[in-house]
Amino acid sequence: MHPCGGKLKPGPLGLRLVEPTPRRARILYLLKTVKPVDIFKCEQCGDCCKGYGGTFVTEEEIISIADYLGADPKCFVKDYCRISGGKPVLAQGNDVYCIFWNGLCAIHPAKPRMCRAWPFIESVLVDVGNWQIMAASCPGIHTDVPDSVIKECVGQAVANFRL
């Protein structure tokens, strides 16, 4: 027993304290208990539906959205998209919002994977600082948890979207 009350365990350099520091214990606790829904709660503000860059749509998503709208999939790209980098992206109105944003997402049941995944995107796994950047424009993103917990939660969500 360590004088501080921690447990000791033999290690390569003699005895070592095996109980984590308070900070490490808190992070380990959070990793076990915090889920993606605990670090993001959509407030339906639409901030993720505006801005340049666009939402790329796959052929399957085009068919799904067109079907939901009762539109002809063959005309969908011409009527609802623009081309960026050779790929179709959902068009934006003059207000810079996605054309399907009208206070709520008009295609919510059929919205593209890119929209369903937000803000649990792979760029956060590359650099967790992207979570903080996105939080500056998204009131639903919580930043009051350690970066390691954010990465773990985003990793869980990204893995689920790949299934």
Side-chain angles (χ1 to χ4, degrees):
M1 181 74 69
H2 188 271
C4 296
K7 294 179 184 174
L8 295 173
K9 183 175 185 178
L13 302 174
L15 294 177
R16 64 182 175 93
L17 189 63
V18 293
E19 289 191 357
T21 63
R23 182 174 187 279
R24 182 159 169 72
R26 172 114 174 100
I27 289 171
L28 290 171
Y29 171 77
L30 289 172
L31 285 173
K32 292 178 187 172
T33 60
V34 177
K35 303 290 180 231
V37 296
D38 297 322
I39 66 170
F40 172 70
K41 171 104 172 82
C42 181
E43 296 189 9
Q44 298 179 339
C45 67
D47 286 350
C48 58
C49 301
K50 72 176 180 180
Y52 294 100
T55 301
F56 288 97
V57 286
T58 65
E59 187 174 335
E60 295 82 18
E61 290 168 336
I62 289 168
I63 292 167
S64 177
I65 297 167
D67 184 54
Y68 179 77
L69 294 172
D72 182 354
K74 294 175 185 154
C75 298
F76 184 86
V77 172
K78 177 179 68 70
D79 294 342
Y80 300 104
C81 296
R82 64 179 177 76
I83 303 300
S84 176
K87 297 179 181 178
V89 296
L90 295 179
Q92 294 171 307
N94 292 334
D95 60 0
V96 197
Y97 278 89
C98 170
I99 59 169
F100 294 112
W101 175 257
N102 63 3
L104 289 175
C105 179
I107 60 168
H108 184 77
K111 68 184 176 181
R113 178 193 178 280
M114 189 173 178
C115 299
R116 289 190 322 268
W118 174 265
F120 300 102
I121 57 177
E122 291 187 17
S123 68
V124 175
L125 298 177
V126 173
D127 180 358
V128 75
N130 288 325
W131 186 261
Q132 310 302 327
I133 293 168
M134 294 184 322
S137 63
C138 178
I141 294 178
H142 301 269
T143 59
D144 57 346
V145 293
D147 288 351
S148 57
V149 173
I150 292 168
K151 264 188 126 162
E152 178 66 24
C153 288
V154 172
Q156 288 174 26
V158 166
N160 288 338
F161 274 106
R162 287 185 186 145
L163 297 177

